[in-house]
């Protein structure tokens, strides 16, 4: 101002001092046209959580919200208990009806599981441009069903129709060419898929194609072992399935009342208390249930056909009681000095150990799968439990182990009469079987003549 003329010095003012930091922030807020914090700055404002605020999803993922501290846990428990009682009651009724009905139940479960999994990647906007594309998924589904059960149940199917000569020839022919028929059906679906490709939906269609094959691998590659276990003897289906149910219920109850320590981030409500308590309960239950189930021929006898009649058979060495003298292993005051146990009970311990330690990882896998798709459950068909797939995740893992364990340690490895007859029925025509019968008759007559 000193360099300016005297008349202009009064119009020029000295610069104002710099405002403090809080004045600068207030000035910035005032410049935005409002005294409130702008939406872009909301994320930077920190405040304490109020007592009535619920935990965020991040805290849930870190395991801070456990079942023991859930405010609605008793209501959830009642809903789960009500649904569980209905499921257990229906399951007992189906088991009472027999092997064929259990197989039908498994097929229904597979259809529900496939429906829930198909719906995960469906987009209504894309499907409107592709009429009949959903039908293609089910074409592959039933082709896989025909291939899987045709391989596992060929012997039972043939034994069911032996009384009718015409039907027997028809079924034998279908079984002989079953692999070719299934392959032709698959190729027909493959060609169908190629012909339905549209320019703007290539990405969606190929994702659906890959997703369909993954579902078929998940559903049939595992649940088919369940059906194999059923016809090997209902014991090998019922015991593993019951152990998974017991483990699930025990884990829920122990976690409900005692759970404090988070187990895994994939399942925030799973706790170490529930895992350990369920493991001990499952192993003890396996040992005791094997003794109870092993005394019923309806559960231990294998089914050789698809009939529903009552079963009687030689139970085999696995289901015959053996005497064990305890002697010095127990104290003097212990009332039982000797016990009778079934050999299969020792094998049941292996099943219980797998059901309590390894099978729950099927549930953890499903939890991670649902988190990847940002869904809570696969469906809502079972109140308090979610969908059918939510209940079958551990069962699938257990069914595969039960089948492999039975074939490795229980089933005889040498050639049996049933095995040879199965090969004859599946691979020889009716005329060839008749010729084999005549040749065996001649061999028996020659041996009888030589012995006499």
């Amino acid at each position: 101002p000193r360099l300016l003329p005297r008349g202009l010095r009064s119009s020029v003012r000295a610069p104002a001092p710099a405002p403090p930091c809080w004045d600068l922030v207030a000035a910035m807020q005032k410049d935005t046209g409002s005294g409130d914090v702008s939406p872009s700055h909301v994320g930077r404002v920190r405040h304490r959580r109020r007592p009535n605020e619920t935990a965020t999803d991040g805290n849930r993922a870190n395991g801070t919200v456990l079942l023991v501290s859930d405010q609605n846990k008793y209501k959830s428990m009642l809903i789960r208990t009500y649904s569980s009682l209905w499921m257990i009651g229906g399951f007992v009724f189906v088991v009472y009806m027999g092997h064929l009905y259990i197989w039908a139940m498994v097929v229904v479960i597979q259809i529900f599981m496939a429906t829930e999994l198909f719906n995960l990647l469906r987009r209504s906007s894309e499907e409107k441009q592709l009429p009949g594309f959903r039908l293609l998924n089910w074409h592959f589904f039933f082709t896989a069903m025909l291939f899987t059960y045709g391989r596992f149940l060929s012997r039972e199917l043939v034994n069911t129709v032996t009384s009718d000569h015409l039907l027997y020839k028809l079924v034998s022919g279908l079984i002989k060419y079953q692999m070719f028929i299934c392959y032709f059906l698959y190729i027909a679906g493959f060609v169908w898929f190629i012909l339905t490709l549209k320019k703007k939906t290539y990405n969606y269609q190929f994702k659906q194609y890959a997703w369909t094959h993954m579902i078929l691998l998940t559903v049939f590659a595992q649940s088919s072992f369940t059906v194999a276990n059923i016809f090997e003897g209902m014991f090998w289906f019922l015991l593993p399935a019951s152990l998974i149910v017991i483990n699930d219920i025990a884990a829920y109850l122990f976690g409900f009342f005692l759970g404090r320590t988070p187990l895994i981030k994939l399942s925030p409500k799973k706790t170490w208390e529930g895992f350990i308590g369920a493991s001990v309960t499952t192993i003890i239950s396996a040992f005791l249930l094997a003794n109870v189930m092993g005394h019923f021929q309806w559960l231990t006898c294998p089914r050789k056909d698809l009939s529903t009649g009552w079963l009687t058979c030689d139970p085999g060495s696995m289901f015959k009681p053996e005497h064990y003298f305890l002697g010095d292993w127990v104290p003097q005051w212990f009332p039982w000095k000797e016990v009778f146990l079934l050999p299969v009970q020792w094998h049941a311990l292996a099943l219980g150990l797998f059901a309590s330690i390894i099978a729950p990882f099927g549930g953890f896998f499903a939890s991670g799968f649902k988190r990847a798709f940002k869904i809570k459950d696969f469906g809502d068909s079972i109140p308090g439990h979610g969908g059918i797939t939510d209940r079958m995740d551990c069962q699938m893992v257990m069914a595969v182990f039960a089948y492999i364990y039975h074939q490795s340690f229980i089933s005889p490895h040498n050639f049996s009469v049933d095995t040879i007859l199965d090969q004859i029925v599946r691979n020889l025509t009716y005329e060839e079987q008749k010729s084999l019968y005549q040749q065996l008759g001649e061999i028996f007559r020659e041996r009888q003549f030589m012995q006499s």
Side-chain angles (χ1 to χ4, degrees):
R2 294 179 180 177
L3 298 178
L4 296 176
R6 184 180 298 272
L8 295 177
R9 291 181 184 178
S10 59
S11 62
V12 178
R13 297 179 180 178
C21 293
W22 60 270
D23 288 338
L24 182 60
V25 173
M28 292 175 61
Q29 295 178 355
K30 185 175 181 180
D31 291 339
T32 59
S34 173
D36 298 333
V37 181
S38 64
S40 62
H41 297 83
V42 172
R44 301 180 183 178
V45 178
R46 297 181 179 179
H47 63 279
R48 292 187 177 182
R49 185 182 304 280
R50 297 177 182 177
N52 58 349
E53 289 182 356
T54 59
T56 61
D57 292 339
N59 290 335
R60 292 175 187 269
N62 292 331
T64 56
V65 179
L66 302 176
L67 187 61
V68 72
S69 59
D70 190 356
Q71 297 179 356
N72 298 323
K73 65 177 184 178
Y74 288 103
K75 180 181 179 181
S76 175
M77 182 181 182
L78 289 176
I79 297 175
R80 288 175 64 95
T81 302
Y82 182 77
S83 301
S84 300
L85 290 176
W86 273 102
M87 287 191 293
I88 293 174
F91 180 73
V92 171
F93 175 75
V94 173
V95 170
Y96 172 78
M97 294 299 293
H99 303 69
L100 189 61
Y101 292 90
I102 300 177
W103 176 31
M105 179 190 70
V106 173
V107 172
V108 171
I109 290 175
Q110 287 177 333
I111 293 175
F112 273 98
M113 289 179 62
T115 302
E116 294 173 353
L117 294 174
F118 282 149
N119 289 333
L120 285 181
L121 287 184
R122 279 209 175 115
R123 299 176 188 170
S124 58
S125 58
E126 304 285 350
E127 300 256 342
K128 290 180 181 178
Q129 305 177 27
L130 303 169
F133 189 75
R134 182 175 298 187
L135 186 62
L136 179 62
N137 293 337
W138 290 108
H139 170 81
F140 285 119
F141 178 85
F142 287 107
T143 300
M145 180 181 292
L146 179 62
F147 175 79
T148 303
Y149 293 138
R151 302 293 293 175
F152 274 95
L153 301 179
S154 57
R155 180 186 65 182
E156 289 78 5
L157 184 59
V158 170
N159 293 338
T160 305
V161 298
T162 51
S163 58
D164 191 323
H165 179 69
L166 180 61
L167 188 59
Y168 175 79
K169 292 184 64 176
L170 177 62
V171 172
S172 299
L174 290 175
I175 291 175
K176 184 177 181 180
Y177 302 106
Q178 178 248 355
M179 184 177 294
F180 177 80
I181 294 172
C182 293
Y183 180 74
F184 178 79
L185 290 174
Y186 177 81
I187 290 299
F190 175 75
V191 174
W192 182 1
F193 169 75
I194 298 299
L195 295 177
T196 57
L197 288 174
K198 288 190 176 182
K199 187 174 182 180
K200 296 182 179 181
T201 58
Y202 288 159
N203 189 22
Y204 175 76
Q205 286 181 280
F206 277 100
K207 282 183 178 179
Q208 286 290 326
Y209 186 78
W211 180 239
T212 300
H213 283 70
M214 197 194 95
I215 292 173
L216 298 181
L217 180 64
T218 303
V219 173
F220 284 104
Q222 299 186 70
S223 58
S224 57
F225 292 101
T226 303
V227 178
N229 292 336
I230 294 170
F231 287 90
E232 288 289 347
M234 207 182 299
F235 177 92
W236 301 107
F237 159 75
L238 186 59
L239 179 63
S242 301
L243 294 181
I244 293 297
V245 175
I246 291 172
N247 183 264
D248 188 41
I249 295 175
Y252 180 79
L253 292 178
F254 277 98
F256 187 90
F257 293 104
L258 304 175
R260 292 292 187 278
T261 311
L263 175 62
I264 187 171
K265 291 182 179 181
L266 287 174
S267 297
K269 294 186 179 181
K270 297 290 194 309
T271 61
W272 276 105
E273 291 81 2
F275 182 79
I276 296 174
S279 299
V280 175
T281 304
T282 303
I283 294 174
I284 295 175
S285 300
F287 190 77
L288 299 178
L289 276 177
N291 187 282
V292 175
M293 295 181 182
H295 287 87
F296 295 93
Q297 291 190 6
W298 176 245
L299 302 179
T300 59
C301 292
R303 172 68 73 179
K304 302 298 183 181
D305 53 27
L306 299 180
S307 63
T308 57
W310 197 256
L311 286 174
T312 55
C313 67
D314 181 12
S317 59
M318 281 291 168
F319 299 99
K320 292 180 179 179
E322 292 184 354
H323 176 263
Y324 292 89
F325 181 71
L326 301 180
D328 299 332
W329 292 92
V330 294
Q332 295 293 332
W333 54 265
F334 195 74
W336 296 289
K337 300 300 181 182
E338 58 182 8
V339 293
F340 290 90
L341 299 176
L342 303 179
V344 76
Q345 289 183 254
W346 306 113
H347 294 281
L349 290 177
L351 296 177
L353 193 64
F354 187 90
S356 58
I357 297 179
I358 306 300
F361 281 86
F364 301 151
F365 176 84
S367 298
F369 195 83
K370 288 183 286 187
R371 285 185 175 274
F373 283 89
K374 298 180 181 180
I375 58 175
K376 181 181 179 182
D377 297 311
F378 287 102
D380 55 358
S381 54
I382 308 176
H385 294 268
I388 297 293
T389 310
D390 294 285
R391 292 296 90 205
M392 292 294 113
D393 45 15
C394 299
Q395 292 285 2
M396 296 298 177
V397 179
M398 188 67 196
V400 177
F401 175 76
Y403 177 81
I404 294 175
Y405 188 89
H406 178 269
Q407 295 298 317
S408 301
F409 300 103
I410 307 297
S411 181
H413 294 281
N414 56 345
F415 288 102
S416 62
V417 176
D418 292 336
T419 304
I420 297 174
L421 284 176
D422 182 33
Q423 295 296 323
I424 292 173
V425 169
R426 291 184 56 182
N427 300 309
L428 299 182
T429 63
Y430 178 76
E431 288 75 14
E432 291 172 339
Q433 295 175 22
K434 188 175 180 180
S435 175
L436 177 63
Y437 175 76
Q438 293 173 354
Q439 294 179 22
L440 286 174
E442 293 177 359
I443 294 174
F444 291 150
R445 283 194 295 269
E446 290 178 0
R447 290 183 178 180
Q448 186 177 8
F449 176 76
M450 295 176 61
Q451 291 177 357
S452 61

